[in-house]
Amino acid sequence: MTLSRDGIRLSVLDRSRTREGEEGSVALRATVDLAREVEALGYHRFWVSEHHSVPGVAGSAPTVLAAAVAAATSAIRVGTGGVMLPNHQPMVVAEQFGVLESLFPGRIDMGLGRSVGFTDGIRRALGRDKDDAERFAEQLHELLGWFTGTQTAHPQVHARPAEGLRVPPYVLATGEGASIAAEAGLPLVIGDLRGRERMLRAIDEYRSAFRPSPWSAEPYVVIAGTIAVAATEEEARTLLVPEAWSLAHSRTQGVFPPLMPVDGIERLTMSEKQRGFFESGLKGHLYGTEEQVGDALERVVKESGAQEVLVTTSTYDRAALLDSYRRLARVAGLTSENT
């Protein structure tokens, strides 16, 4: 398949995953380096994420990291996947994106999620409550109002330099996210590829309920998930192993750890429960050779009618990860066969 010929965009979300024995600063710098690489490969946008008090993720301040990425690149769109709106005051989020858009005009995206800190301790540290996630639609409405100058929650207060700027907003679908995106008339980012039937139902519901808005006249769907490409199917599957183990560890130990090398994971003695979560974490992703991934990606794009694919792959070996992105760029027709 050739995604670029069909008008399908290909983008990257990097979560600044730390590796075993590695400082967070290394992971953050690696995120910036990866952004430069995928820009050269022709990817459309590069997003960073927000996680708090997670040993395996260094990206806790996405707007700060997005600024570093935008400064290190020149053409690729840069944004967040996403800022978790319930963790923040909407005015502050508007101000941050207003600054980003002012510094890097025409290149900034505002991806927004409805998750809140995932433990009581983190929520207390953030000054938030679990129920704040239920106010996402209200917070989203206020946030957009800071840009248009129409917010009424705080009369005579203005978010500068955001007011009057147009930073494209995207809603990350978790729970009610798809219906909220439709009602607000905003683009939808939805994953993951493993829950295919559930994802397709949510996309259909989003398109049916979509109400045009000043931000988006028509529905726009970005499907997100892990895609791994290598010389052989087995090599591609190996790329999935470190993240699968991190997920299994988090499900059984309550802590999401840094990525381990594959040979270290292979020497582990897993409990039956861990083994179950580990094997489950390897299933449902798109992985294989360029031909295999091309066929699988073509199917999911046709099934979903998506306009864009956001790749969220994490693995221990950064060189192998970059090689996967190079191969995927060839699959999608972003680069020449010899790149």
Side-chain angles (χ1 to χ4, degrees):
M1 75 175 301
T2 303
L3 288 178
S4 59
R5 188 183 303 150
D6 296 333
I8 307 299
R9 293 163 168 167
L10 192 62
S11 301
V12 171
L13 166 66
D14 189 73
R15 289 182 292 147
S16 302
R17 292 286 274 115
T18 56
R19 274 65 174 174
E20 193 175 53
E22 176 181 275
E23 295 293 330
S25 59
V26 176
L28 293 170
R29 292 189 181 98
T31 290
V32 176
D33 290 341
L34 181 61
R36 292 193 193 98
E37 297 282 1
V38 300
E39 177 179 56
L41 291 171
Y43 285 79
H44 180 64
R45 68 179 97 241
F46 187 92
W47 281 4
V48 295
S49 64
E50 175 183 343
H51 296 272
H52 298 283
S53 191
V54 179
V57 182
S60 58
T63 54
V64 177
L65 185 52
V69 169
T73 54
S74 60
I76 195 169
R77 297 195 63 87
V78 177
T80 56
V83 164
M84 296 299 127
L85 194 51
N87 289 338
H88 309 279
Q89 291 292 341
M91 178 183 177
V92 174
V93 175
E95 290 173 334
Q96 291 172 346
F97 279 97
V99 170
L100 282 170
E101 177 65 19
S102 298
L103 292 172
F104 308 101
R107 292 181 58 206
I108 301 301
D109 300 321
M110 185 169 58
L112 305 163
R114 66 188 295 269
S115 297
V116 69
F118 64 91
T119 68
D120 290 339
I122 294 172
R123 288 190 288 270
R124 284 195 297 269
L126 292 169
R128 292 295 180 265
D129 185 85
K130 192 173 184 178
D131 293 337
D132 285 329
E134 303 306 315
R135 297 180 51 247
F136 178 69
E138 174 189 336
Q139 295 165 329
L140 179 63
H141 179 74
E142 180 186 334
L143 173 61
L144 299 181
W146 288 113
F147 287 94
T148 59
T150 59
Q151 69 82 26
T152 57
H154 306 280
Q156 299 181 331
V157 181
H158 301 269
R160 308 195 190 281
E163 190 170 309
L165 298 180
R166 282 286 198 229
V167 181
Y170 296 76
V171 173
L172 279 62
T174 56
E176 298 178 3
S179 60
I180 291 172
E183 185 175 350
L186 299 180
L188 174 71
V189 182
I190 186 165
D192 65 27
L193 297 174
R194 291 184 297 172
R196 191 72 54 85
E197 291 186 8
R198 185 172 63 251
M199 181 185 76
L200 294 177
R201 282 198 305 271
I203 290 172
D204 287 342
E205 292 168 4
Y206 163 73
R207 289 200 177 102
S208 297
F210 184 86
R211 295 165 54 180
S213 74
W215 299 94
S216 186
E218 298 178 346
Y220 187 91
V221 175
V222 183
I223 54 174
T226 295
I227 303 176
V229 196
T232 68
E233 182 177 354
E234 184 57 33
E235 288 176 28
R237 186 180 185 277
T238 298
L239 294 179
L240 307 177
V241 167
E243 187 74 2
W245 167 246
S246 287
L247 288 169
H249 187 278
S250 70
R251 293 285 185 87
T252 54
Q253 303 298 319
V255 177
F256 195 72
L259 295 168
M260 285 181 61
V262 173
D263 57 356
I265 296 169
E266 290 174 342
R267 291 194 299 267
L268 291 173
T269 300
M270 299 184 195
S271 67
E272 183 178 347
K273 189 173 184 180
Q274 285 177 328
R275 177 64 64 180
F277 283 127
F278 175 71
E279 294 295 339
S280 176
L282 293 171
K283 295 176 182 177
H285 305 293
L286 301 189
Y287 71 90
T289 63
E290 292 177 35
E291 183 178 2
Q292 289 172 322
V293 168
D295 291 342
L297 195 52
E298 183 175 22
R299 284 195 298 273
V300 72
V301 167
K302 285 183 177 179
E303 289 173 358
S304 64
Q307 288 99 328
E308 187 170 342
V309 178
L310 182 68
V311 188
T312 64
T313 309
S314 296
T315 193
Y316 180 87
D317 187 336
R318 289 195 174 96
L321 178 62
L322 179 56
D323 180 65
S324 177
Y325 279 126
R326 287 197 184 104
R327 292 174 181 274
L328 183 58
R330 285 201 296 267
V331 169
L334 302 183
T335 58
S336 69
E337 291 300 315
N338 297 319
T339 298

